[in-house]
Amino acid sequence: MYNHYICNLTQTLLFMQPVQLQKDKLELIEWITQLEDSTVIEKLIAIMEEEVNYGYKLSDEQKLMLEEGAAKYDSGEERGYTWEEIKNNAAELKKLINEKKA
């Protein structure tokens, strides 16, 4: 199964890549397939997850806030807003702030 995956991955990586980049990726694939050290694999997974998350990490408190907000939205307790509503609300708030300054 893994060999089939590696072959498909290799073909995908080779398609329209600069030559040195192709070589580097193939070398990495070969190296990864021979790894036995679980700590190195865990570090590679962490790097991969960081890339997927664009380097952002949420604290447990932030994750809980998101989960609570999603639950409220799903239950109908709170509603979502369209982008237009958000822009309009921000413009109104900006106008109120500027009026208070004047």
Side-chain angles (χ1 to χ4, degrees), residues 39-94:
T39 57
V40 174
I41 293 172
E42 289 169 6
K43 289 177 183 179
L44 289 170
I45 291 170
I47 291 169
M48 185 175 61
E49 288 174 351
E50 281 183 22
E51 182 69 25
V52 168
N53 296 323
Y54 304 104
Y56 297 110
K57 292 187 179 183
L58 297 177
S59 68
D60 290 338
E61 182 181 351
Q62 291 169 323
K63 290 177 186 176
L64 180 62
M65 289 173 62
L66 286 172
E67 290 169 4
E68 289 173 349
K72 287 180 181 179
Y73 175 79
D74 291 340
S75 70
E77 186 178 336
E78 290 184 1
R79 73 177 202 86
Y81 295 91
T82 66
W83 180 241
E84 285 301 316
E85 289 173 317
I86 292 170
K87 289 193 301 186
N88 291 338
N89 289 343
E92 289 177 28
L93 182 59
K94 182 178 178 182

Side-chain angles (χ1 to χ4, degrees), residues 2-62:
Y2 289 110
N3 287 339
H4 176 71
Y5 174 74
I6 291 171
C7 287
N8 287 340
L9 181 59
T10 302
Q11 289 172 356
T12 302
L13 293 174
L14 290 176
F15 184 70
M16 298 190 63
Q17 296 287 323
V19 174
Q20 186 58 47
L21 185 57
Q22 290 177 18
K23 289 178 183 178
D24 291 344
K25 288 179 179 183
L26 290 171
E27 187 176 319
L28 280 169
I29 290 169
E30 180 66 27
W31 177 70
I32 290 169
T33 60
Q34 296 177 17
L35 274 176
E36 297 294 332
D37 187 347
S38 63
T39 57
V40 174
I41 293 172
E42 289 169 6
K43 289 177 183 179
L44 289 170
I45 291 170
I47 291 169
M48 185 175 61
E49 288 174 351
E50 281 183 22
E51 182 69 25
V52 168
N53 296 323
Y54 304 104
Y56 297 110
K57 292 187 179 183
L58 297 177
S59 68
D60 290 338
E61 182 181 351
Q62 291 169 323

